Amino acid sequence: MADPEVIQDGCFHDWSWNENDRSHEIVLSGQNLDHVKFHPSWSVGTAAVRGTKALPRACRSYWEISLQQPFYGTSIMFGVGTKRARLHVDSFVNLLGEDSESMGLSHKGLLWHEGTSREYSRPFLDRKSALISILFDGLRGTLTYYKDGESMGVAFWGLDQISADLYPMVASTAAKIEMRLVKTRRSFISLQDRCGALVADMLVSVQQSKCLPIPSVLQEYVESYKT
């Protein structure tokens, strides 16, 4: 299956994992803190981390997470959550979806939300590696998962009814599991948004935008893409 349209006709979405919004059992690394390592020594619980930016409600957002090792343990999860979603618990649980503050997909093929689960896909237990992708449609209020480029279908509905900001999240009970955020994209919100992204792509630095004969509002857009 081809990449979602948001990848083909959209722009880079500037976010990564939040150094200040993570479990103490998570180590972030990489130039943009795009690499997550869970429980670097051994695991005695469940750890999670939130993204640095809330998902925009006026467009669609897409991100890809790469794992290059076998799935194992009680739960390895991918999903979204509010600022109130827990980031750590000293027991082995399905942390994303334990209550109404988050929702997620576990490597066992189960979707979790409000403390209940339902079957969604075949388990990933036989996988030595995988590319898990997530499409958040802020306009329709849906969340869709992809595995190795193939859509697994809409997983959650009604996200547009959640008033609190939602953030990308990952969680794991398994020790030494590593994930890498390899792609973050979003669709354009408006024509102004599209123009700002195109102009920013042609510039080397923020300083160059200050020399352009463009409206101040558009200049602010351009600067936001380059910072």
Side-chain angles (χ1 to χ4, degrees), residues 195-226:
C195 292
L198 291 174
V199 172
D201 283 344
M202 294 185 288
L203 302 179
V204 176
S205 65
V206 172
Q207 287 69 29
Q208 286 184 307
S209 69
K210 301 183 185 300
C211 302
L212 297 176
I214 57 178
S216 59
V217 174
L218 184 56
Q219 183 172 338
E220 291 176 3
Y221 260 83
V222 173
E223 291 179 1
S224 70
Y225 286 114
K226 299 302 291 186

PDB file of all heavy atoms in Angstrom, residues 195-226:
ATOM      1  N   CYS A 195       2.257  27.787   1.818  1.00  0.00           N
ATOM      2  CA  CYS A 195       3.234  28.753   1.300  1.00  0.00           C
ATOM      3  C   CYS A 195       4.415  28.907   2.251  1.00  0.00           C
ATOM      4  O   CYS A 195       5.568  28.965   1.815  1.00  0.00           O
ATOM      5  CB  CYS A 195       2.563  30.110   1.083  1.00  0.00           C
ATOM      6  SG  CYS A 195       1.351  30.134  -0.253  1.00  0.00           S
ATOM      7  N   GLY A 196       4.113  28.956   3.546  1.00  0.00           N
ATOM      8  CA  GLY A 196       5.187  29.101   4.525  1.00  0.00           C
ATOM      9  C   GLY A 196       6.157  27.942   4.478  1.00  0.00           C
ATOM     10  O   GLY A 196       7.374  28.119   4.552  1.00  0.00           O
ATOM     11  N   ALA A 197       5.622  26.715   4.323  1.00  0.00           N
ATOM     12  CA  ALA A 197       6.472  25.527   4.267  1.00  0.00           C
ATOM     13  C   ALA A 197       7.333  25.528   3.006  1.00  0.00           C
ATOM     14  O   ALA A 197       8.519  25.180   3.049  1.00  0.00           O
ATOM     15  CB  ALA A 197       5.610  24.276   4.314  1.00  0.00           C
ATOM     16  N   LEU A 198       6.754  25.919   1.886  1.00  0.00           N
ATOM     17  CA  LEU A 198       7.504  25.931   0.634  1.00  0.00           C
ATOM     18  C   LEU A 198       8.626  26.962   0.660  1.00  0.00           C
ATOM     19  O   LEU A 198       9.734  26.704   0.196  1.00  0.00           O
ATOM     20  CB  LEU A 198       6.551  26.221  -0.536  1.00  0.00           C
ATOM     21  CG  LEU A 198       5.541  25.122  -0.860  1.00  0.00           C
ATOM     22  CD1 LEU A 198       4.564  25.579  -1.942  1.00  0.00           C
ATOM     23  CD2 LEU A 198       6.255  23.849  -1.305  1.00  0.00           C
ATOM     24  N   VAL A 199       8.343  28.141   1.213  1.00  0.00           N
ATOM     25  CA  VAL A 199       9.374  29.176   1.312  1.00  0.00           C
ATOM     26  C   VAL A 199      10.483  28.711   2.256  1.00  0.00           C
ATOM     27  O   VAL A 199      11.675  28.860   1.959  1.00  0.00           O
ATOM     28  CB  VAL A 199       8.771  30.510   1.806  1.00  0.00           C
ATOM     29  CG1 VAL A 199       9.882  31.519   2.094  1.00  0.00           C
ATOM     30  CG2 VAL A 199       7.806  31.079   0.766  1.00  0.00           C
ATOM     31  N   ALA A 200      10.104  28.122   3.385  1.00  0.00           N
ATOM     32  CA  ALA A 200      11.101  27.673   4.361  1.00  0.00           C
ATOM     33  C   ALA A 200      12.028  26.623   3.771  1.00  0.00           C
ATOM     34  O   ALA A 200      13.223  26.597   4.082  1.00  0.00           O
ATOM     35  CB  ALA A 200      10.391  27.124   5.598  1.00  0.00           C
ATOM     36  N   ASP A 201      11.497  25.762   2.912  1.00  0.00           N
ATOM     37  CA  ASP A 201      12.319  24.716   2.300  1.00  0.00           C
ATOM     38  C   ASP A 201      13.428  25.285   1.423  1.00  0.00           C
ATOM     39  O   ASP A 201      14.449  24.637   1.200  1.00  0.00           O
ATOM     40  CB  ASP A 201      11.444  23.781   1.457  1.00  0.00           C
ATOM     41  CG  ASP A 201      10.665  22.804   2.323  1.00  0.00           C
ATOM     42  OD1 ASP A 201      11.028  22.646   3.494  1.00  0.00           O
ATOM     43  OD2 ASP A 201       9.698  22.208   1.818  1.00  0.00           O
ATOM     44  N   MET A 202      13.228  26.505   0.920  1.00  0.00           N
ATOM     45  CA  MET A 202      14.210  27.118   0.027  1.00  0.00           C
ATOM     46  C   MET A 202      15.247  27.951   0.765  1.00  0.00           C
ATOM     47  O   MET A 202      16.189  28.446   0.160  1.00  0.00           O
ATOM     48  CB  MET A 202      13.490  27.998  -1.014  1.00  0.00           C
ATOM     49  CG  MET A 202      12.619  27.201  -1.976  1.00  0.00           C
ATOM     50  SD  MET A 202      11.879  28.208  -3.280  1.00  0.00           S
ATOM     51  CE  MET A 202      10.661  29.127  -2.338  1.00  0.00           C
ATOM     52  N   LEU A 203      15.073  28.099   2.071  1.00  0.00           N
ATOM     53  CA  LEU A 203      15.996  28.908   2.861  1.00  0.00           C
ATOM     54  C   LEU A 203      16.975  28.033   3.637  1.00  0.00           C
ATOM     55  O   LEU A 203      16.663  26.905   4.010  1.00  0.00           O
ATOM     56  CB  LEU A 203      15.223  29.785   3.843  1.00  0.00           C
ATOM     57  CG  LEU A 203      14.199  30.753   3.240  1.00  0.00           C
ATOM     58  CD1 LEU A 203      13.501  31.522   4.350  1.00  0.00           C
ATOM     59  CD2 LEU A 203      14.868  31.710   2.262  1.00  0.00           C
ATOM     60  N   VAL A 204      18.140  28.589   3.878  1.00  0.00           N
ATOM     61  CA  VAL A 204      19.164  27.878   4.645  1.00  0.00           C
ATOM     62  C   VAL A 204      19.031  28.173   6.128  1.00  0.00           C
ATOM     63  O   VAL A 204      19.259  27.306   6.964  1.00  0.00           O
ATOM     64  CB  VAL A 204      20.568  28.273   4.145  1.00  0.00           C
ATOM     65  CG1 VAL A 204      21.649  27.607   5.004  1.00  0.00           C
ATOM     66  CG2 VAL A 204      20.744  27.903   2.683  1.00  0.00           C
ATOM     67  N   SER A 205      18.633  29.409   6.472  1.00  0.00           N
ATOM     68  CA  SER A 205      18.555  29.801   7.878  1.00  0.00           C
ATOM     69  C   SER A 205      17.386  30.749   8.114  1.00  0.00           C
ATOM     70  O   SER A 205      16.811  31.315   7.174  1.00  0.00           O
ATOM     71  CB  SER A 205      19.854  30.486   8.317  1.00  0.00           C
ATOM     72  OG  SER A 205      20.020  31.711   7.624  1.00  0.00           O
ATOM     73  N   VAL A 206      17.057  30.952   9.382  1.00  0.00           N
ATOM     74  CA  VAL A 206      15.989  31.882   9.761  1.00  0.00           C
ATOM     75  C   VAL A 206      16.338  33.301   9.354  1.00  0.00           C
ATOM     76  O   VAL A 206      15.466  34.081   8.946  1.00  0.00           O
ATOM     77  CB  VAL A 206      15.755  31.817  11.291  1.00  0.00           C
ATOM     78  CG1 VAL A 206      14.793  32.909  11.734  1.00  0.00           C
ATOM     79  CG2 VAL A 206      15.217  30.458  11.689  1.00  0.00           C
ATOM     80  N   GLN A 207      17.610  33.660   9.444  1.00  0.00           N
ATOM     81  CA  GLN A 207      18.028  35.018   9.126  1.00  0.00           C
ATOM     82  C   GLN A 207      17.651  35.421   7.700  1.00  0.00           C
ATOM     83  O   GLN A 207      17.330  36.580   7.429  1.00  0.00           O
ATOM     84  CB  GLN A 207      19.540  35.173   9.325  1.00  0.00           C
ATOM     85  CG  GLN A 207      20.004  35.206  10.788  1.00  0.00           C
ATOM     86  CD  GLN A 207      19.829  33.860  11.476  1.00  0.00           C
ATOM     87  OE1 GLN A 207      19.878  32.805  10.834  1.00  0.00           O
ATOM     88  NE2 GLN A 207      19.640  33.885  12.786  1.00  0.00           N
ATOM     89  N   GLN A 208      17.674  34.480   6.778  1.00  0.00           N
ATOM     90  CA  GLN A 208      17.331  34.786   5.399  1.00  0.00           C
ATOM     91  C   GLN A 208      15.883  35.235   5.254  1.00  0.00           C
ATOM     92  O   GLN A 208      15.560  36.051   4.395  1.00  0.00           O
ATOM     93  CB  GLN A 208      17.572  33.553   4.515  1.00  0.00           C
ATOM     94  CG  GLN A 208      19.030  33.268   4.240  1.00  0.00           C
ATOM     95  CD  GLN A 208      19.187  32.090   3.291  1.00  0.00           C
ATOM     96  OE1 GLN A 208      18.647  31.021   3.538  1.00  0.00           O
ATOM     97  NE2 GLN A 208      19.920  32.286   2.217  1.00  0.00           N
ATOM     98  N   SER A 209      14.991  34.708   6.108  1.00  0.00           N
ATOM     99  CA  SER A 209      13.578  35.067   5.996  1.00  0.00           C
ATOM    100  C   SER A 209      13.339  36.539   6.291  1.00  0.00           C
ATOM    101  O   SER A 209      12.376  37.132   5.799  1.00  0.00           O
ATOM    102  CB  SER A 209      12.748  34.203   6.955  1.00  0.00           C
ATOM    103  OG  SER A 209      13.017  34.540   8.306  1.00  0.00           O
ATOM    104  N   LYS A 210      14.203  37.138   7.095  1.00  0.00           N
ATOM    105  CA  LYS A 210      14.028  38.542   7.468  1.00  0.00           C
ATOM    106  C   LYS A 210      14.301  39.488   6.302  1.00  0.00           C
ATOM    107  O   LYS A 210      13.929  40.665   6.348  1.00  0.00           O
ATOM    108  CB  LYS A 210      14.948  38.884   8.646  1.00  0.00           C
ATOM    109  CG  LYS A 210      14.695  38.036   9.886  1.00  0.00           C
ATOM    110  CD  LYS A 210      15.562  38.458  11.044  1.00  0.00           C
ATOM    111  CE  LYS A 210      15.386  37.533  12.253  1.00  0.00           C
ATOM    112  NZ  LYS A 210      13.991  37.512  12.737  1.00  0.00           N
ATOM    113  N   CYS A 211      14.930  38.971   5.254  1.00  0.00           N
ATOM    114  CA  CYS A 211      15.243  39.798   4.086  1.00  0.00           C
ATOM    115  C   CYS A 211      14.202  39.656   2.977  1.00  0.00           C
ATOM    116  O   CYS A 211      14.298  40.337   1.948  1.00  0.00           O
ATOM    117  CB  CYS A 211      16.623  39.419   3.534  1.00  0.00           C
ATOM    118  SG  CYS A 211      17.967  39.601   4.733  1.00  0.00           S
ATOM    119  N   LEU A 212      13.228  38.817   3.175  1.00  0.00           N
ATOM    120  CA  LEU A 212      12.238  38.565   2.131  1.00  0.00           C
ATOM    121  C   LEU A 212      11.119  39.603   2.154  1.00  0.00           C
ATOM    122  O   LEU A 212      10.642  39.993   3.223  1.00  0.00           O
ATOM    123  CB  LEU A 212      11.626  37.169   2.313  1.00  0.00           C
ATOM    124  CG  LEU A 212      12.579  35.983   2.184  1.00  0.00           C
ATOM    125  CD1 LEU A 212      11.831  34.689   2.490  1.00  0.00           C
ATOM    126  CD2 LEU A 212      13.169  35.921   0.782  1.00  0.00           C
ATOM    127  N   PRO A 213      10.689  40.065   0.963  1.00  0.00           N
ATOM    128  CA  PRO A 213       9.574  41.033   0.884  1.00  0.00           C
ATOM    129  C   PRO A 213       8.223  40.321   0.982  1.00  0.00           C
ATOM    130  O   PRO A 213       7.451  40.263   0.019  1.00  0.00           O
ATOM    131  CB  PRO A 213       9.783  41.666  -0.496  1.00  0.00           C
ATOM    132  CG  PRO A 213      10.383  40.572  -1.314  1.00  0.00           C
ATOM    133  CD  PRO A 213      11.281  39.802  -0.361  1.00  0.00           C
ATOM    134  N   ILE A 214       7.943  39.763   2.156  1.00  0.00           N
ATOM    135  CA  ILE A 214       6.703  39.023   2.361  1.00  0.00           C
ATOM    136  C   ILE A 214       5.981  39.574   3.586  1.00  0.00           C
ATOM    137  O   ILE A 214       6.600  40.207   4.443  1.00  0.00           O
ATOM    138  CB  ILE A 214       6.965  37.511   2.556  1.00  0.00           C
ATOM    139  CG1 ILE A 214       7.914  37.273   3.739  1.00  0.00           C
ATOM    140  CG2 ILE A 214       7.523  36.892   1.282  1.00  0.00           C
ATOM    141  CD1 ILE A 214       8.185  35.807   4.040  1.00  0.00           C
ATOM    142  N   PRO A 215       4.662  39.370   3.682  1.00  0.00           N
ATOM    143  CA  PRO A 215       3.902  39.860   4.842  1.00  0.00           C
ATOM    144  C   PRO A 215       4.469  39.309   6.148  1.00  0.00           C
ATOM    145  O   PRO A 215       5.010  38.205   6.186  1.00  0.00           O
ATOM    146  CB  PRO A 215       2.484  39.327   4.581  1.00  0.00           C
ATOM    147  CG  PRO A 215       2.426  39.128   3.109  1.00  0.00           C
ATOM    148  CD  PRO A 215       3.799  38.709   2.693  1.00  0.00           C
ATOM    149  N   SER A 216       4.339  40.091   7.216  1.00  0.00           N
ATOM    150  CA  SER A 216       4.908  39.707   8.511  1.00  0.00           C
ATOM    151  C   SER A 216       4.317  38.396   9.030  1.00  0.00           C
ATOM    152  O   SER A 216       5.020  37.601   9.655  1.00  0.00           O
ATOM    153  CB  SER A 216       4.685  40.823   9.528  1.00  0.00           C
ATOM    154  OG  SER A 216       3.305  41.097   9.680  1.00  0.00           O
ATOM    155  N   VAL A 217       3.020  38.181   8.766  1.00  0.00           N
ATOM    156  CA  VAL A 217       2.383  36.946   9.227  1.00  0.00           C
ATOM    157  C   VAL A 217       3.023  35.738   8.551  1.00  0.00           C
ATOM    158  O   VAL A 217       3.305  34.720   9.189  1.00  0.00           O
ATOM    159  CB  VAL A 217       0.859  36.973   8.938  1.00  0.00           C
ATOM    160  CG1 VAL A 217       0.235  35.623   9.292  1.00  0.00           C
ATOM    161  CG2 VAL A 217       0.199  38.079   9.734  1.00  0.00           C
ATOM    162  N   LEU A 218       3.268  35.832   7.246  1.00  0.00           N
ATOM    163  CA  LEU A 218       3.903  34.737   6.514  1.00  0.00           C
ATOM    164  C   LEU A 218       5.345  34.559   6.965  1.00  0.00           C
ATOM    165  O   LEU A 218       5.846  33.433   7.055  1.00  0.00           O
ATOM    166  CB  LEU A 218       3.849  34.997   5.007  1.00  0.00           C
ATOM    167  CG  LEU A 218       4.397  33.883   4.099  1.00  0.00           C
ATOM    168  CD1 LEU A 218       3.691  32.560   4.384  1.00  0.00           C
ATOM    169  CD2 LEU A 218       4.260  34.257   2.632  1.00  0.00           C
ATOM    170  N   GLN A 219       6.011  35.668   7.296  1.00  0.00           N
ATOM    171  CA  GLN A 219       7.391  35.576   7.784  1.00  0.00           C
ATOM    172  C   GLN A 219       7.430  34.804   9.098  1.00  0.00           C
ATOM    173  O   GLN A 219       8.337  34.006   9.333  1.00  0.00           O
ATOM    174  CB  GLN A 219       7.982  36.967   7.976  1.00  0.00           C
ATOM    175  CG  GLN A 219       9.451  36.935   8.406  1.00  0.00           C
ATOM    176  CD  GLN A 219      10.091  38.306   8.399  1.00  0.00           C
ATOM    177  OE1 GLN A 219       9.624  39.204   7.720  1.00  0.00           O
ATOM    178  NE2 GLN A 219      11.151  38.472   9.153  1.00  0.00           N
ATOM    179  N   GLU A 220       6.438  35.017   9.964  1.00  0.00           N
ATOM    180  CA  GLU A 220       6.370  34.275  11.224  1.00  0.00           C
ATOM    181  C   GLU A 220       6.189  32.782  10.965  1.00  0.00           C
ATOM    182  O   GLU A 220       6.767  31.939  11.653  1.00  0.00           O
ATOM    183  CB  GLU A 220       5.220  34.796  12.080  1.00  0.00           C
ATOM    184  CG  GLU A 220       5.456  36.206  12.615  1.00  0.00           C
ATOM    185  CD  GLU A 220       4.263  36.736  13.387  1.00  0.00           C
ATOM    186  OE1 GLU A 220       3.269  35.971  13.551  1.00  0.00           O
ATOM    187  OE2 GLU A 220       4.290  37.891  13.826  1.00  0.00           O
ATOM    188  N   TYR A 221       5.378  32.464   9.961  1.00  0.00           N
ATOM    189  CA  TYR A 221       5.200  31.049   9.577  1.00  0.00           C
ATOM    190  C   TYR A 221       6.527  30.452   9.152  1.00  0.00           C
ATOM    191  O   TYR A 221       6.908  29.356   9.578  1.00  0.00           O
ATOM    192  CB  TYR A 221       4.194  30.954   8.429  1.00  0.00           C
ATOM    193  CG  TYR A 221       2.795  30.566   8.848  1.00  0.00           C
ATOM    194  CD1 TYR A 221       1.914  31.521   9.324  1.00  0.00           C
ATOM    195  CD2 TYR A 221       2.369  29.259   8.754  1.00  0.00           C
ATOM    196  CE1 TYR A 221       0.639  31.182   9.712  1.00  0.00           C
ATOM    197  CE2 TYR A 221       1.084  28.905   9.137  1.00  0.00           C
ATOM    198  CZ  TYR A 221       0.227  29.868   9.612  1.00  0.00           C
ATOM    199  OH  TYR A 221      -1.031  29.517   9.988  1.00  0.00           O
ATOM    200  N   VAL A 222       7.247  31.174   8.278  1.00  0.00           N
ATOM    201  CA  VAL A 222       8.516  30.679   7.766  1.00  0.00           C
ATOM    202  C   VAL A 222       9.497  30.455   8.895  1.00  0.00           C
ATOM    203  O   VAL A 222      10.181  29.420   8.959  1.00  0.00           O
ATOM    204  CB  VAL A 222       9.099  31.670   6.729  1.00  0.00           C
ATOM    205  CG1 VAL A 222      10.510  31.236   6.317  1.00  0.00           C
ATOM    206  CG2 VAL A 222       8.204  31.747   5.502  1.00  0.00           C
ATOM    207  N   GLU A 223       9.569  31.401   9.824  1.00  0.00           N
ATOM    208  CA  GLU A 223      10.495  31.272  10.943  1.00  0.00           C
ATOM    209  C   GLU A 223      10.140  30.081  11.831  1.00  0.00           C
ATOM    210  O   GLU A 223      11.025  29.417  12.367  1.00  0.00           O
ATOM    211  CB  GLU A 223      10.495  32.564  11.758  1.00  0.00           C
ATOM    212  CG  GLU A 223      11.126  33.749  11.019  1.00  0.00           C
ATOM    213  CD  GLU A 223      11.085  35.023  11.826  1.00  0.00           C
ATOM    214  OE1 GLU A 223      10.580  34.988  12.983  1.00  0.00           O
ATOM    215  OE2 GLU A 223      11.561  36.060  11.332  1.00  0.00           O
ATOM    216  N   SER A 224       8.853  29.816  11.981  1.00  0.00           N
ATOM    217  CA  SER A 224       8.446  28.673  12.812  1.00  0.00           C
ATOM    218  C   SER A 224       8.880  27.350  12.190  1.00  0.00           C
ATOM    219  O   SER A 224       9.140  26.381  12.907  1.00  0.00           O
ATOM    220  CB  SER A 224       6.921  28.682  13.013  1.00  0.00           C
ATOM    221  OG  SER A 224       6.248  28.361  11.812  1.00  0.00           O
ATOM    222  N   TYR A 225       8.956  27.273  10.857  1.00  0.00           N
ATOM    223  CA  TYR A 225       9.402  26.032  10.204  1.00  0.00           C
ATOM    224  C   TYR A 225      10.920  25.839  10.317  1.00  0.00           C
ATOM    225  O   TYR A 225      11.401  24.709  10.314  1.00  0.00           O
ATOM    226  CB  TYR A 225       9.032  26.071   8.720  1.00  0.00           C
ATOM    227  CG  TYR A 225       7.566  25.876   8.441  1.00  0.00           C
ATOM    228  CD1 TYR A 225       6.807  26.914   7.906  1.00  0.00           C
ATOM    229  CD2 TYR A 225       6.926  24.672   8.725  1.00  0.00           C
ATOM    230  CE1 TYR A 225       5.447  26.745   7.655  1.00  0.00           C
ATOM    231  CE2 TYR A 225       5.576  24.510   8.484  1.00  0.00           C
ATOM    232  CZ  TYR A 225       4.852  25.546   7.948  1.00  0.00           C
ATOM    233  OH  TYR A 225       3.514  25.380   7.713  1.00  0.00           O
ATOM    234  N   LYS A 226      11.648  26.933  10.427  1.00  0.00           N
ATOM    235  CA  LYS A 226      13.112  26.834  10.435  1.00  0.00           C
ATOM    236  C   LYS A 226      13.682  26.736  11.845  1.00  0.00           C
ATOM    237  O   LYS A 226      14.873  26.539  12.006  1.00  0.00           O
ATOM    238  CB  LYS A 226      13.732  28.056   9.737  1.00  0.00           C
ATOM    239  CG  LYS A 226      13.331  28.218   8.278  1.00  0.00           C
ATOM    240  CD  LYS A 226      13.684  27.013   7.443  1.00  0.00           C
ATOM    241  CE  LYS A 226      15.170  26.836   7.245  1.00  0.00           C
ATOM    242  NZ  LYS A 226      15.491  25.737   6.322  1.00  0.00           N
TER     243      LYS A 226
END
